[in-house]
Amino acid sequence: NPDYRSRLVATEVKKDKREDLFAATPPLEALKFLLSLAMTTGYGDQTKISFIDVRRAHFRSPCKRDVFVELPPEDKEEGIVGKLQKSMYGTRDAALNWEEEYTDMMLDAQFEQGIAVPCIFEHNKRNLKTLVHGDDFVTLGKEEDLEWFAEKMRERYEINMRAVLGTEEKDDKEVRILNRMVR
């Protein structure tokens, strides 16, 4: 069952040598570590892992510089362009703007940000551990805390709860994340 996605994308041509447009990406080992924790932390049957996808994530973050785009053919007029107010997939700073947006949301929800890997977060009071890869949030915790986190996400974003893996019959048993099957 292929998972096709379509996006409205801009194409930005690199005309300078700016290196300040970097956005962090967690190493694959971070996902492996989170999955390993799910099996070894002593939560027992209460441990679950949620997989949340934020819909149109880059459009949720404000544009921080002037970016102008040509309008689509149906709206195009000679000499008229559009100025982005929100980030758009394909612009050089879209991932950085999105990282700043979700980091703000996570800090507002009382998560602590990782030092070595800034896209890993921990909520000490609720014992949640989250890694963010682009628009995908993978979170380890107890069911009631995962539901709390999903509600926090819904307050700010349109989300797709892709799966909640667990041992109960009602729980999902597999999900595809980062082009890998997790069972």
Side-chain angles (χ1 to χ4, degrees):
N1 297 325
D3 182 19
Y4 295 110
R5 297 174 135 188
S6 298
R7 293 189 174 114
L8 182 60
V9 177
T11 302
E12 185 172 359
V13 179
K14 180 179 176 181
K15 293 184 178 181
D16 55 31
K17 298 211 182 262
R18 290 183 64 178
E19 295 185 18
D20 60 333
L21 302 177
F22 170 79
T25 303
L28 181 58
E29 288 77 17
L31 175 62
K32 291 178 179 180
F33 180 68
L34 201 63
L35 297 173
S36 177
L37 277 178
M39 297 298 159
T40 59
T41 58
Y43 287 125
D45 291 341
Q46 296 179 346
T47 301
K48 298 183 185 216
I49 304 175
S50 71
F51 296 82
I52 296 175
D53 176 72
V54 176
R55 296 177 186 263
R56 297 178 304 281
H58 290 185
F59 292 125
R60 307 288 179 200
S61 53
C63 216
K64 304 232 166 108
R65 62 188 175 98
D66 290 339
V67 178
F68 298 92
V69 294
E70 290 182 16
L71 299 175
E74 61 271 12
D75 294 324
K76 194 170 189 168
E77 292 183 36
E78 188 63 36
I80 304 292
V81 294
K83 181 178 176 183
L84 295 181
Q85 294 179 1
K86 298 286 187 176
S87 295
M88 188 173 194
Y89 291 92
T91 57
R92 293 175 56 206
D93 58 346
L96 173 64
N97 293 343
W98 168 240
E99 180 180 331
E100 289 176 4
E101 165 60 33
Y102 75 69
T103 297
D104 182 60
M105 184 274 304
M106 296 295 280
L107 295 176
D108 283 350
Q110 306 302 305
F111 279 82
E112 291 182 25
Q113 187 173 23
I115 296 169
V117 182
C119 44
I120 296 177
F121 297 85
E122 185 169 12
H123 196 291
N124 290 319
K125 183 178 177 186
R126 294 186 175 271
N127 201 18
L128 293 172
K129 293 168 182 36
T130 300
L131 87 87
V132 183
H133 190 283
D135 59 2
D136 294 317
F137 289 68
V138 180
T139 305
L140 171 68
K142 295 182 180 177
E143 184 171 12
E144 59 270 14
D145 296 319
L146 294 175
E147 289 172 3
W148 170 86
F149 179 59
E151 195 52 45
K152 284 288 184 195
M153 295 281 294
R154 280 187 197 96
E155 289 173 7
R156 201 146 164 173
Y157 311 118
E158 183 182 344
I159 66 169
N160 176 21
M161 181 63 79
R162 297 192 49 227
V164 177
L165 298 185
T167 59
E168 294 181 44
E169 190 174 316
K170 67 179 174 109
D171 296 331
D172 297 302
K173 301 304 177 204
E174 69 179 25
V175 66
R176 180 177 293 279
I177 184 79
L178 304 180
N179 212 20
R180 289 167 171 74
M181 287 302 296
V182 176
R183 293 183 173 92

